[in-house]
């Protein structure tokens, strides 16, 4: 099993698959999952979906096949696999596949559904299609790097705004005569990032809203006062605040800015949003993984909330299914130029997941 697990992970990592270009890695994963005993299909958006067994409980194991760019050299050295996606999130995806395949070989009750999803790093097209297709499960585990001894039970939500500012232009030798669109956009940005709602806990990174200025586009060539500027603002939203609540506050803030600056045209578009999600820490799913971590690592289990956003948010909220995120790898290596994963941690996570699934299926079958 060890060689098979390492070969699967390396095969996934060697097939570079930025969002929107998951076909090659999808065909590879489909073939390997068929060899491991799953009944495999591809849905309309390109998700790889493998099933084994029948009846209840139905357990969804979902990881994503896409990565961020750029491609990185792949090498295995001193027990460490380097390459794009080793951590985020082909390592966790491979661990889910191999853990489930262990139960296929040993026999199990219930239904295992293993998904290699597309576009998690983009617009989450993959998981949204699972929801639209009505994929039902009693429990769901999403594969993302948490480290072997930690379970993610909460993610912030997200909101992305595109804000355009337009002004009358003129010669840059007399900037006092004209409104600079870049400066005006920065004025909006400073008001946005200073916004604080009563529901926030300013002392907590997780329970407060965080803002990131992701892009600025403005100005041009020549001696001209900039007449247009576009900024992209991303907010991460804590569980106490809904997307609608924060959106309303931000739009009201911008409306007030328009009133105070009648000579500035401001246009706002919401490009994407995801609600926050918190899992029940006392659910059978959390208990099963916690017990398996303790059995196999003899370590205190960490239940953590993360300031990021994942596919867990979308599926868990849409379906009401008890949902957590778990997988090998250091999340601080996500999207870095030195992304890598320890092979032993990857193998240990497979053991943890297989033990947790065994407990979960047996417990549910007895109930």
């Amino acid at each position: 099993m060890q060689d098979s697990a390492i070969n699967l992970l390396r095969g996934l990592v060697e097939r570079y698959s930025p969002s929107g270009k998951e076909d090659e890695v999808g065909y590879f994963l489909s073939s390997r999952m068929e060899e491991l005993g799953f009944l495999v299909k591809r849905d309309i958006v390109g998700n790889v979906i493998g099933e084994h067994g029948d009846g209840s409980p139905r357990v969804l194991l979902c990881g994503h096949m896409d990565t961020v760019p750029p491609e990185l050299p792949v090498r295995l050295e001193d027990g460490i696999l380097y390459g794009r996606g080793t951590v985020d999130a082909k390592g966790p995806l491979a661990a889910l596949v191999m853990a489930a395949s262990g139960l296929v070989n040993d026999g199990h009750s219930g239904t295992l559904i293993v998904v290699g999803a597309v576009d998690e790093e983009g617009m989450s097209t993959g998981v949204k299609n699972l929801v639209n297709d009505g994929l039902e499960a009693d429990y769901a585990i999403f594969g993302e790097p948490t480290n072997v001894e930690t379970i993610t039970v909460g993610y912030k939500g997200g909101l992305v705004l595109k804000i355009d500012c337009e002004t009358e232009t003129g010669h840059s030798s007399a900037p006092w005569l004209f409104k600079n669109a870049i400066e005006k956009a920065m004025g909006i940005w400073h008001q946005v990032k200073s916004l604080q709602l009563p529901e926030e806990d300013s002392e907590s990174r997780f329970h407060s809203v965080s803002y990131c200025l992701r892009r600025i586009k403005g100005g041009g060539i020549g001696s001209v006062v900039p007449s247009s500027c576009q900024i992209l603002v991303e907010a991460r939203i804590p569980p106490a605040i809904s997307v609608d609540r924060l959106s309303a506050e931000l739009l009201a803030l911008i409306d007030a800015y328009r009133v105070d600056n009648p000579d500035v045209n401001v246009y706002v578009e919401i490009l994407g949003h995801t609600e926050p999600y918190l899992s029940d820490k006392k659910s059978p799913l959390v208990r099963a993984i916690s017990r398996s971590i303790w059995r196999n690592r003899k370590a205190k289990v960490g239940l953590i909330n993360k300031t990021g956003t994942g596919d867990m948010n979308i599926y868990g909220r849409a379906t009401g299914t008890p949902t957590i995120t778990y997988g090998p790898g250091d999340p601080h290596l996500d999207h870095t130029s030195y992304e890598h994963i320890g092979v032993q941690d990857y193998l240990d996570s497979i053991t943890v997941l297989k033990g947790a699934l065994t407990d979960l299926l047996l417990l549910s079958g007895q109930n």
Side-chain angles (χ1 to χ4, degrees), residues 59-363:
V59 182
L60 170 64
L61 307 171
C62 184
H64 62 92
M65 301 184 292
D66 64 316
T67 68
V68 298
E71 187 173 6
L72 300 176
V74 179
R75 73 181 193 277
L76 180 60
E77 185 177 295
D78 297 328
I80 298 174
L81 181 65
Y82 297 82
R84 178 62 73 213
T86 50
V87 168
D88 190 11
K90 292 177 177 179
L93 169 59
L96 292 173
V97 172
M98 294 308 302
S101 74
L103 272 74
V104 169
N105 293 332
D106 295 347
H108 63 89
S109 58
T111 307
L112 295 172
I113 308 151
V114 185
V115 176
V118 300
D119 196 39
E120 191 273 348
E121 300 288 0
M123 300 303 293
S124 291
T125 304
V127 73
K128 289 176 182 176
N129 197 65
L130 298 180
V131 172
N132 291 338
D133 284 350
L135 192 154
E136 296 181 352
D138 297 295
Y139 304 102
I141 301 173
F142 280 78
E144 293 283 356
T146 63
N147 287 314
V148 182
E149 296 163 5
T150 305
I151 305 167
T152 298
V153 294
Y155 270 129
K156 279 184 164 182
L159 176 67
V160 180
L161 298 178
K162 182 179 73 172
I163 304 172
D164 288 276
C165 291
E166 295 180 356
T167 59
E168 289 295 328
T169 189
H171 202 286
S172 60
S173 64
W176 55 86
L177 296 178
F178 308 97
K179 304 297 183 184
N180 187 316
I182 295 177
E183 292 178 356
K184 294 301 178 182
M186 289 301 95
I188 293 176
W189 160 243
H190 287 299
Q191 288 192 27
V192 166
K193 72 173 185 177
S194 298
L195 178 66
Q196 186 169 348
L197 305 185
E199 299 94 325
E200 295 185 63
D201 176 0
S202 60
E203 301 298 316
S204 167
R205 297 291 189 190
F206 183 73
H207 292 288
S208 60
V209 181
S210 60
Y211 297 96
C212 178
L213 181 59
R214 281 180 28 185
R215 187 175 69 205
I216 306 173
K217 182 181 179 182
I221 300 173
S223 301
V224 178
V225 175
S227 62
S228 66
C229 183
Q230 181 184 97
I231 61 175
L232 203 65
V233 176
E234 180 180 39
R236 298 287 181 160
I237 311 170
I241 300 172
S242 68
V243 167
D244 285 347
R245 168 87 167 99
L246 183 61
S247 299
E249 291 290 339
L250 289 172
L251 294 176
L253 181 153
I254 293 170
D255 282 342
Y257 184 90
R258 289 190 181 104
V259 172
D260 293 339
N261 297 267
D263 47 0
V264 182
N265 294 317
V266 183
Y267 307 95
V268 184
E269 181 181 354
I270 296 176
L271 298 183
H273 59 84
T274 304
E275 295 287 354
Y277 181 79
L278 272 179
S279 184
D280 179 4
K281 295 180 181 180
K282 298 180 180 179
S283 71
L285 177 59
V286 173
R287 292 202 302 268
I289 299 179
S290 297
R291 283 196 299 267
S292 189
I293 291 172
W294 174 251
R295 280 199 307 268
N296 291 286
R297 299 276 288 202
K298 297 297 185 290
K300 182 179 179 181
V301 179
L303 303 180
I304 63 168
N305 299 317
K306 295 181 72 173
T307 56
T309 301
D311 280 351
M312 173 173 89
N313 298 52
I314 297 169
Y315 187 82
R317 286 189 68 99
T319 65
T321 303
T323 304
I324 60 91
T325 292
Y326 177 79
D330 181 353
H332 295 105
L333 298 176
D334 288 6
H335 303 185
T336 66
S337 60
Y338 43 88
E339 188 174 354
H340 61 272
I341 193 168
V343 170
Q344 191 57 55
D345 278 353
Y346 162 63
L347 296 173
D348 285 353
S349 74
I350 295 171
T351 303
V352 168
L353 283 163
K354 182 182 176 185
L357 291 170
T358 300
D359 287 355
L360 197 62
L361 294 171
L362 285 174
L363 176 65

